[in-house]
Amino acid sequence: MVWAFATAGVHTDKLYEVVANEAVQRQVRGFNSQDLSNMVWAFATAGVHADQFYEMVANEAVQRQVRGFKPQDLSNMVWA
């Protein structure tokens, strides 16, 4: 959802806040590598500062040892 808003250039603080809080609460369980990279890309594109969310995603990527991340997923995350 946030990917679509960021792609469309729509910035809604409350939406990003709710999504970030939900992702952190779930500890990003159930998110695959593309989900994570798209979300991080969307937050960065929209200029959203969500430090706890970014830290959670970074920790998850390290924990997974970036296995399962396609090159595009990795480049999106590094760009973000």
Side-chain angles (χ1 to χ4, degrees):
M1 180 187 311
V2 290
W3 178 87
F5 277 77
T7 300
V10 177
H11 182 82
T12 307
D13 289 334
K14 188 64 177 174
L15 172 67
Y16 288 97
E17 179 184 334
V18 168
V19 170
N21 289 340
E22 185 66 23
V24 168
Q25 183 178 356
R26 292 183 187 191
Q27 297 180 350
V28 294
R29 286 189 208 112
F31 293 93
N32 64 34
S33 61
Q34 184 175 2
D35 297 333
L36 294 175
S37 69
N38 285 349
M39 287 176 60
V40 171
W41 177 89
F43 276 67
T45 298
V48 175
H49 299 281
D51 294 337
Q52 192 175 13
F53 168 72
Y54 287 126
E55 185 176 341
M56 177 82 57
V57 172
N59 289 338
E60 184 67 19
V62 168
Q63 189 173 16
R64 294 181 189 185
Q65 298 176 350
V66 294
R67 284 188 212 122
F69 284 80
K70 296 176 183 170
Q72 185 66 53
D73 301 336
L74 289 172
S75 68
N76 287 351
M77 289 183 72
V78 170
W79 176 88

